[in-house]
Amino acid sequence: DTSPFLDSLAAEGVLFENYVAASSSTRPSHMTMFTSLYPSVHGATENTGVRALPVSVKTLAELLREAGVATAAITENGAIDRSRGFDRGFDVYVENRDSQSANLRSGHIEETFARGADWLETARNRRFFLFLHTYQVHNPFTPPAAYDRFFGGDPGDLARPEALRADWDPLLYDREIRYADDRVAALVGSLRAAGLLEDTLLVVTSDHGEAFLEHGFAAHGASVHHEVVNVPLLVSGPRIPAGRRLKNPVPMVDLMPTLLDLMGVAASGGEMGRSQAALVEGAPEPDVVERAIYSEAWAERAYRAEGFDLIPQPTLALRLRGRKLVRSRTDSEDPTRYRYELYDLAADPGIRH
Protein backbone atom coordinates (compact mmCIF):
# COMPACT_ATOMS: atom_id res chain seq x y z
CA ASP A 1 0.00 0.00 0.00
CA THR A 2 2.40 2.64 -1.27
CA SER A 3 0.08 5.65 -1.59
CA PRO A 4 -2.85 5.41 0.83
CA PHE A 5 -3.43 9.16 0.97
CA LEU A 6 -3.38 9.69 -2.78
CA ASP A 7 -5.74 6.73 -3.08
CA SER A 8 -8.13 8.43 -0.67
CA LEU A 9 -7.78 11.73 -2.52
CA ALA A 10 -8.61 9.99 -5.79
CA ALA A 11 -11.66 8.43 -4.12
CA GLU A 12 -12.84 11.94 -3.24
CA GLY A 13 -12.48 13.14 -6.83
CA VAL A 14 -11.69 12.06 -10.38
CA LEU A 15 -8.92 9.68 -11.41
CA PHE A 16 -7.70 9.40 -15.00
CA GLU A 17 -6.75 5.73 -15.27
CA ASN A 18 -4.92 6.07 -18.59
CA TYR A 19 -3.15 9.42 -18.53
CA VAL A 20 -0.17 9.44 -20.91
CA ALA A 21 2.91 11.61 -20.47
CA ALA A 22 4.28 13.47 -23.46
CA SER A 23 7.81 12.35 -22.68
CA SER A 24 9.83 10.23 -20.28
CA SER A 25 12.05 13.14 -19.16
CA THR A 26 11.42 16.04 -16.81
CA ARG A 27 11.86 19.11 -18.99
CA PRO A 28 9.87 18.06 -22.08
CA SER A 29 6.94 16.73 -20.07
CA HIS A 30 6.74 19.75 -17.78
CA MET A 31 6.87 22.13 -20.71
CA THR A 32 4.00 20.19 -22.26
CA MET A 33 2.03 20.59 -19.01
CA PHE A 34 2.53 24.37 -19.21
CA THR A 35 1.99 24.86 -22.97
CA SER A 36 -0.29 22.05 -24.25
CA LEU A 37 2.25 21.42 -27.00
CA TYR A 38 4.08 18.18 -27.69
CA PRO A 39 7.86 18.31 -27.05
CA SER A 40 8.83 18.25 -30.73
CA VAL A 41 6.64 21.36 -31.12
CA HIS A 42 7.61 23.42 -28.06
CA GLY A 43 11.27 22.45 -28.52
CA ALA A 44 12.30 21.78 -24.90
CA THR A 45 13.18 18.21 -25.76
CA GLU A 46 16.27 17.55 -23.64
CA ASN A 47 16.97 18.08 -19.95
CA THR A 48 20.44 19.40 -20.76
CA GLY A 49 19.53 21.49 -23.80
CA VAL A 50 19.83 25.26 -23.92
CA ARG A 51 16.77 26.10 -26.00
CA ALA A 52 14.25 28.37 -24.27
CA LEU A 53 10.54 28.47 -24.95
CA PRO A 54 9.62 30.81 -27.85
CA VAL A 55 8.07 34.07 -26.62
CA SER A 56 5.15 33.53 -28.99
CA VAL A 57 3.90 30.59 -26.88
CA LYS A 58 1.46 31.44 -24.08
CA THR A 59 1.96 29.38 -20.94
CA LEU A 60 -0.65 28.24 -18.43
CA ALA A 61 0.69 30.65 -15.80
CA GLU A 62 0.73 33.58 -18.23
CA LEU A 63 -2.92 33.09 -19.16
CA LEU A 64 -3.93 32.74 -15.53
CA ARG A 65 -2.01 35.85 -14.46
CA GLU A 66 -3.56 37.85 -17.31
CA ALA A 67 -6.95 36.79 -15.88
CA GLY A 68 -6.04 38.27 -12.50
CA VAL A 69 -4.93 35.08 -10.77
CA ALA A 70 -2.01 35.21 -8.32
CA THR A 71 0.62 32.71 -9.48
CA ALA A 72 3.55 31.02 -7.74
CA ALA A 73 5.81 28.02 -8.26
CA ILE A 74 8.14 26.27 -5.82
CA THR A 75 10.37 23.85 -7.73
CA GLU A 76 13.33 21.61 -6.98
CA ASN A 77 16.64 21.16 -8.75
CA GLY A 78 17.26 20.07 -12.26
CA ALA A 79 15.48 20.68 -15.45
CA ILE A 80 12.60 23.13 -14.96
CA ASP A 81 14.68 26.23 -14.38
CA ARG A 82 13.71 29.80 -15.20
CA SER A 83 16.38 30.16 -17.89
CA ARG A 84 14.32 27.83 -20.11
CA GLY A 85 11.14 29.86 -19.71
CA PHE A 86 9.43 27.91 -16.94
CA ASP A 87 9.08 31.04 -14.80
CA ARG A 88 6.98 32.87 -17.39
CA GLY A 89 3.69 33.99 -15.92
CA PHE A 90 4.61 33.33 -12.29
CA ASP A 91 4.60 36.23 -9.83
CA VAL A 92 6.88 34.13 -7.62
CA TYR A 93 9.23 31.42 -8.92
CA VAL A 94 11.43 29.71 -6.32
CA GLU A 95 14.03 27.14 -7.34
CA ASN A 96 14.71 25.10 -4.20
CA ARG A 97 18.05 23.76 -5.42
CA ASP A 98 20.55 21.51 -3.69
CA SER A 99 23.98 23.10 -4.03
CA GLN A 100 25.63 19.94 -2.69
CA SER A 101 24.04 17.57 -5.21
CA ALA A 102 26.18 16.87 -8.24
CA ASN A 103 23.31 15.26 -10.13
CA LEU A 104 20.66 17.84 -9.08
CA ARG A 105 18.05 15.13 -8.62
CA SER A 106 17.56 14.97 -4.88
CA GLY A 107 14.26 16.01 -3.35
CA HIS A 108 13.46 18.47 -0.57
CA ILE A 109 9.76 17.80 -0.28
CA GLU A 110 9.26 19.06 3.28
CA GLU A 111 10.96 22.40 2.65
CA THR A 112 9.27 22.82 -0.75
CA PHE A 113 5.81 22.14 0.64
CA ALA A 114 6.42 24.44 3.61
CA ARG A 115 7.38 27.30 1.27
CA GLY A 116 4.28 26.65 -0.77
CA ALA A 117 2.04 26.74 2.30
CA ASP A 118 3.65 30.01 3.40
CA TRP A 119 2.91 31.60 0.02
CA LEU A 120 -0.71 30.43 0.13
CA GLU A 121 -1.20 32.38 3.34
CA THR A 122 -0.25 35.56 1.45
CA ALA A 123 -2.62 34.76 -1.44
CA ARG A 124 -5.61 33.35 0.42
CA ASN A 125 -7.83 36.38 -0.30
CA ARG A 126 -7.23 36.17 -4.07
CA ARG A 127 -7.77 33.59 -6.78
CA PHE A 128 -4.50 31.70 -6.90
CA PHE A 129 -2.55 29.07 -8.80
CA LEU A 130 0.31 27.34 -6.97
CA PHE A 131 2.57 24.82 -8.69
CA LEU A 132 4.55 22.60 -6.30
CA HIS A 133 7.22 20.35 -7.81
CA THR A 134 9.36 17.79 -6.02
CA TYR A 135 12.09 15.39 -7.11
CA GLN A 136 11.43 13.26 -4.04
CA VAL A 137 10.23 10.20 -5.95
CA HIS A 138 13.10 10.16 -8.43
CA ASN A 139 16.19 8.00 -8.83
CA PRO A 140 18.47 7.53 -7.01
CA PHE A 141 15.95 6.49 -4.36
CA THR A 142 16.90 7.59 -0.83
CA PRO A 143 13.88 7.27 1.48
CA PRO A 144 14.36 8.38 5.12
CA ALA A 145 15.57 5.68 7.51
CA ALA A 146 12.19 5.77 9.29
CA TYR A 147 10.67 4.15 6.20
CA ASP A 148 12.89 1.06 6.41
CA ARG A 149 10.02 -0.61 8.27
CA PHE A 150 7.79 -0.54 5.20
CA PHE A 151 7.43 -3.39 2.70
CA GLY A 152 9.86 -5.75 4.39
CA GLY A 153 8.15 -9.00 3.32
CA ASP A 154 8.73 -11.15 0.28
CA PRO A 155 8.76 -8.72 -2.68
CA GLY A 156 7.73 -11.41 -5.15
CA ASP A 157 7.88 -10.14 -8.72
CA LEU A 158 8.86 -6.69 -7.43
CA ALA A 159 12.24 -7.97 -6.27
CA ARG A 160 15.24 -6.07 -7.59
CA PRO A 161 16.64 -7.81 -10.67
CA GLU A 162 20.08 -9.15 -9.76
CA ALA A 163 21.70 -7.19 -12.55
CA LEU A 164 20.26 -3.84 -11.41
CA ARG A 165 22.37 -1.52 -9.28
CA ALA A 166 21.44 -1.42 -5.61
CA ASP A 167 20.20 2.19 -5.38
CA TRP A 168 17.57 1.51 -8.09
CA ASP A 169 15.82 -1.13 -6.00
CA PRO A 170 12.01 -1.15 -6.46
CA LEU A 171 11.76 -1.57 -2.68
CA LEU A 172 13.47 1.80 -2.15
CA TYR A 173 11.23 3.32 -4.83
CA ASP A 174 8.11 2.09 -3.01
CA ARG A 175 9.38 3.48 0.31
CA GLU A 176 10.09 6.81 -1.38
CA ILE A 177 6.55 6.89 -2.77
CA ARG A 178 5.15 6.18 0.71
CA TYR A 179 7.25 8.98 2.21
CA ALA A 180 6.08 11.45 -0.44
CA ASP A 181 2.49 10.29 0.07
CA ASP A 182 2.77 11.06 3.78
CA ARG A 183 4.13 14.53 3.02
CA VAL A 184 1.26 15.25 0.61
CA ALA A 185 -1.17 14.11 3.32
CA ALA A 186 0.43 16.50 5.81
CA LEU A 187 0.31 19.39 3.33
CA VAL A 188 -3.33 18.84 2.42
CA GLY A 189 -4.23 18.42 6.08
CA SER A 190 -2.66 21.76 6.95
CA LEU A 191 -4.42 23.50 4.06
CA ARG A 192 -7.74 22.01 5.10
CA ALA A 193 -7.22 23.12 8.71
CA ALA A 194 -6.43 26.65 7.48
CA GLY A 195 -9.66 26.76 5.46
CA LEU A 196 -7.80 26.96 2.17
CA LEU A 197 -9.51 24.00 0.51
CA GLU A 198 -13.11 25.16 0.66
CA ASP A 199 -12.99 26.49 -2.90
CA THR A 200 -9.73 25.03 -4.21
CA LEU A 201 -8.94 22.36 -6.78
CA LEU A 202 -6.17 19.90 -5.97
CA VAL A 203 -4.40 18.33 -8.95
CA VAL A 204 -1.74 15.63 -8.56
CA THR A 205 0.24 14.36 -11.52
CA SER A 206 3.73 13.32 -12.64
CA ASP A 207 6.03 13.99 -15.55
CA HIS A 208 7.21 10.40 -16.04
CA GLY A 209 7.54 7.01 -14.39
CA GLU A 210 10.47 4.71 -13.70
CA ALA A 211 11.71 1.56 -15.43
CA PHE A 212 13.15 -1.50 -13.73
CA LEU A 213 14.37 -3.46 -16.77
CA GLU A 214 10.84 -4.33 -17.98
CA HIS A 215 12.05 -3.61 -21.52
CA GLY A 216 15.79 -3.60 -20.89
CA PHE A 217 15.91 -0.04 -19.54
CA ALA A 218 16.38 1.32 -16.03
CA ALA A 219 15.32 4.77 -14.80
CA HIS A 220 13.71 6.87 -17.56
CA GLY A 221 14.35 9.25 -20.44
CA ALA A 222 15.38 7.00 -23.33
CA SER A 223 12.23 4.93 -23.89
CA VAL A 224 8.46 5.38 -24.24
CA HIS A 225 7.15 2.10 -22.83
CA HIS A 226 4.21 2.09 -20.42
CA GLU A 227 6.32 2.03 -17.26
CA VAL A 228 7.75 5.48 -18.04
CA VAL A 229 4.84 7.27 -19.76
CA ASN A 230 1.73 5.98 -17.93
CA VAL A 231 1.44 8.45 -15.05
CA PRO A 232 -1.14 9.50 -12.44
CA LEU A 233 -3.59 12.35 -12.81
CA LEU A 234 -6.22 13.07 -10.20
CA VAL A 235 -8.43 16.09 -9.58
CA SER A 236 -10.22 16.71 -6.30
CA GLY A 237 -12.16 19.65 -4.91
CA PRO A 238 -15.56 21.25 -4.53
CA ARG A 239 -18.10 20.39 -7.22
CA ILE A 240 -15.91 17.50 -8.41
CA PRO A 241 -17.85 14.21 -8.21
CA ALA A 242 -16.33 11.67 -5.85
CA GLY A 243 -15.08 8.26 -6.91
CA ARG A 244 -15.15 8.94 -10.65
CA ARG A 245 -12.66 6.92 -12.69
CA LEU A 246 -12.13 7.75 -16.36
CA LYS A 247 -10.85 4.86 -18.46
CA ASN A 248 -10.19 6.35 -21.90
CA PRO A 249 -6.60 7.35 -22.70
CA VAL A 250 -5.91 11.06 -22.23
CA PRO A 251 -2.72 12.82 -23.38
CA MET A 252 -0.71 15.28 -21.30
CA VAL A 253 -1.48 18.08 -23.77
CA ASP A 254 -5.03 18.05 -22.34
CA LEU A 255 -3.96 19.15 -18.85
CA MET A 256 -3.54 22.87 -19.54
CA PRO A 257 -6.85 23.39 -21.41
CA THR A 258 -8.64 21.36 -18.73
CA LEU A 259 -7.28 23.50 -15.88
CA LEU A 260 -8.04 26.73 -17.73
CA ASP A 261 -11.59 25.54 -18.38
CA LEU A 262 -12.13 24.51 -14.76
CA MET A 263 -10.99 27.99 -13.67
CA GLY A 264 -13.09 29.80 -16.26
CA VAL A 265 -10.10 31.25 -18.12
CA ALA A 266 -10.00 31.31 -21.91
CA ALA A 267 -7.30 29.33 -23.71
CA SER A 268 -4.95 31.04 -26.16
CA GLY A 269 -6.11 29.05 -29.17
CA GLY A 270 -2.66 27.61 -29.86
CA GLU A 271 -3.03 24.55 -27.65
CA MET A 272 -2.76 21.06 -29.14
CA GLY A 273 -4.87 19.48 -26.38
CA ARG A 274 -8.55 19.62 -25.58
CA SER A 275 -10.35 20.34 -22.32
CA GLN A 276 -11.56 17.39 -20.24
CA ALA A 277 -13.35 19.70 -17.78
CA ALA A 278 -16.81 18.39 -18.67
CA LEU A 279 -15.73 14.83 -17.84
CA VAL A 280 -14.09 16.00 -14.62
CA GLU A 281 -17.34 17.68 -13.59
CA GLY A 282 -19.45 14.59 -14.28
CA ALA A 283 -20.38 14.38 -17.97
CA PRO A 284 -20.79 10.80 -19.29
CA GLU A 285 -17.60 9.30 -20.67
CA PRO A 286 -17.83 8.00 -24.26
CA ASP A 287 -17.42 4.25 -24.63
CA VAL A 288 -14.61 4.65 -27.16
CA VAL A 289 -12.47 7.62 -28.11
CA GLU A 290 -10.48 7.09 -31.31
CA ARG A 291 -7.74 9.60 -30.83
CA ALA A 292 -4.03 9.55 -31.56
CA ILE A 293 -1.88 10.04 -28.46
CA TYR A 294 1.87 10.59 -28.72
CA SER A 295 4.90 10.22 -26.46
CA GLU A 296 8.49 11.17 -27.25
CA ALA A 297 11.87 10.18 -25.77
CA TRP A 298 14.88 12.39 -26.42
CA ALA A 299 17.53 11.34 -23.86
CA GLU A 300 20.40 9.63 -25.66
CA ARG A 301 21.81 8.16 -22.45
CA ALA A 302 19.98 4.87 -21.94
CA TYR A 303 20.44 3.32 -18.50
CA ARG A 304 20.77 -0.42 -18.42
CA ALA A 305 21.43 -3.00 -15.70
CA GLU A 306 24.89 -1.90 -14.59
CA GLY A 307 25.63 1.15 -16.68
CA PHE A 308 24.47 3.03 -19.75
CA ASP A 309 24.90 3.27 -23.46
CA LEU A 310 24.08 5.95 -26.01
CA ILE A 311 21.23 5.47 -28.45
CA PRO A 312 20.05 7.65 -31.35
CA GLN A 313 16.93 9.65 -30.66
CA PRO A 314 14.07 10.45 -30.80
CA THR A 315 12.04 7.37 -29.92
CA LEU A 316 8.35 7.89 -30.61
CA ALA A 317 5.14 6.19 -29.52
CA LEU A 318 1.61 6.36 -30.90
CA ARG A 319 -1.49 5.02 -29.08
CA LEU A 320 -4.59 4.56 -31.22
CA ARG A 321 -7.59 2.18 -31.24
CA GLY A 322 -6.29 -0.07 -28.49
CA ARG A 323 -2.82 -0.46 -29.93
CA LYS A 324 0.55 1.09 -29.28
CA LEU A 325 3.28 1.56 -31.87
CA VAL A 326 6.86 2.35 -30.84
CA ARG A 327 9.45 3.53 -33.35
CA SER A 328 13.13 3.50 -32.36
CA ARG A 329 16.08 4.64 -34.41
CA THR A 330 18.62 1.89 -35.00
CA ASP A 331 21.44 3.79 -36.71
CA SER A 332 22.98 7.00 -35.39
CA GLU A 333 24.37 7.79 -38.83
CA ASP A 334 21.25 7.00 -40.86
CA PRO A 335 18.09 8.77 -39.59
CA THR A 336 15.86 6.64 -41.85
CA ARG A 337 16.51 3.27 -40.19
CA TYR A 338 14.07 2.21 -37.48
CA ARG A 339 12.85 -0.66 -35.36
CA TYR A 340 9.07 -0.92 -34.85
CA GLU A 341 7.17 -2.55 -32.00
CA LEU A 342 3.38 -2.96 -32.21
CA TYR A 343 1.40 -3.95 -29.11
CA ASP A 344 -2.23 -5.00 -28.62
CA LEU A 345 -3.15 -3.25 -25.36
CA ALA A 346 -6.28 -5.30 -24.71
CA ALA A 347 -4.55 -8.66 -25.02
CA ASP A 348 -1.18 -7.48 -23.67
CA PRO A 349 -1.67 -4.58 -21.22
CA GLY A 350 1.90 -4.83 -19.96
CA ILE A 351 3.20 -4.49 -23.56
CA ARG A 352 5.50 -7.50 -23.28
CA HIS A 353 4.86 -9.15 -26.64
Side-chain angles (χ1 to χ4, degrees):
D1 193 4
T2 55
S3 55
F5 179 74
L6 289 183
D7 294 347
S8 68
L9 200 62
E12 295 175 6
V14 175
L15 175 68
F16 289 80
E17 294 183 331
N18 288 287
Y19 182 58
V20 184
S23 181
S24 52
S25 294
T26 301
R27 181 174 292 162
S29 273
H30 274 91
M31 192 61 84
T32 293
M33 292 184 204
F34 286 153
T35 63
S36 186
L37 301 175
Y38 279 104
S40 53
V41 178
H42 62 57
T45 54
E46 299 178 61
N47 280 348
T48 57
V50 297
R51 183 176 177 181
L53 183 69
V55 295
S56 58
V57 177
K58 284 283 190 179
T59 68
L60 171 62
E62 284 180 306
L63 292 172
L64 290 173
R65 185 165 68 178
E66 288 174 3
V69 177
T71 57
I74 316 295
T75 75
E76 290 182 358
N77 287 327
I80 56 172
D81 52 318
R82 56 170 46 89
S83 65
R84 306 297 182 257
F86 283 100
D87 64 334
R88 282 175 29 188
F90 285 105
D91 302 319
V92 174
Y93 196 86
V94 176
E95 295 181 71
N96 187 15
R97 289 180 172 269
D98 179 2
S99 60
Q100 305 303 314
S101 174
N103 57 30
L104 294 178
R105 294 181 303 184
S106 57
H108 315 284
I109 191 168
E110 296 189 29
E111 181 182 351
T112 296
F113 282 9
R115 289 190 179 192
D118 289 344
W119 180 83
L120 283 175
E121 283 296 331
T122 72
R124 62 181 305 146
N125 295 321
R126 298 179 58 189
R127 299 189 76 205
F128 61 79
F129 170 66
L130 172 64
F131 172 66
L132 291 176
H133 161 264
T134 181
Y135 264 97
Q136 198 63 58
V137 186
H138 193 289
N139 71 72
F141 310 118
T142 55
Y147 286 78
D148 290 351
R149 62 189 178 89
F150 285 101
F151 318 126
D154 181 359
D157 60 0
L158 292 180
R160 178 173 63 88
E162 289 187 7
L164 194 61
R165 48 187 272 189
D167 62 342
W168 280 346
D169 191 331
L171 174 63
L172 299 177
Y173 181 50
D174 284 350
R175 288 172 177 167
E176 192 100 21
I177 294 171
R178 182 58 182 261
Y179 169 53
D181 188 72
D182 286 347
R183 301 329 308 159
V184 174
L187 172 68
V188 174
S190 67
L191 300 182
R192 183 172 285 118
L196 283 166
L197 295 187
E198 295 172 1
D199 194 28
T200 300
L201 291 169
L202 290 172
V203 180
V204 181
T205 191
S206 181
D207 53 348
H208 59 73
E210 295 288 349
F212 295 93
L213 303 184
E214 293 91 340
H215 292 90
F217 296 94
H220 56 272
S223 68
V224 287
H225 294 107
H226 273 18
E227 55 270 17
V228 289
V229 297
N230 284 13
V231 294
L233 174 62
L234 64 91
V235 183
S236 177
R239 299 180 300 280
I240 303 298
R244 185 166 170 79
R245 302 176 75 97
L246 301 173
K247 62 180 177 61
N248 287 323
V250 171
M252 186 171 276
V253 288
D254 286 1
L255 180 61
M256 174 179 167
T258 299
L259 296 181
L260 289 170
D261 204 359
L262 289 171
M263 294 188 71
V265 176
S268 71
E271 295 83 4
M272 298 181 75
R274 61 183 71 164
S275 172
Q276 302 291 339
L279 288 178
V280 171
E281 293 176 326
E285 185 179 26
D287 290 336
V288 178
V289 176
E290 293 193 353
R291 181 183 181 193
I293 295 177
Y294 302 95
S295 298
E296 310 173 13
W298 291 86
E300 294 182 337
R301 177 173 290 200
Y303 290 94
R304 307 290 188 177
E306 290 290 354
F308 68 89
D309 57 11
L310 298 178
I311 61 175
Q313 294 289 24
T315 302
L316 307 177
L318 164 67
R319 285 183 61 149
L320 181 63
R321 301 192 188 105
R323 296 187 179 183
K324 180 170 181 174
L325 180 69
V326 176
R327 189 188 79 173
S328 310
R329 288 183 59 191
T330 58
D331 190 327
S332 59
E333 302 297 326
D334 184 352
T336 66
R337 299 188 65 182
Y338 307 109
R339 175 176 185 265
Y340 290 90
E341 305 164 42
L342 180 63
Y343 299 98
D344 182 336
L345 301 181
D348 180 24
I351 63 167
R352 299 301 181 94
H353 308 288

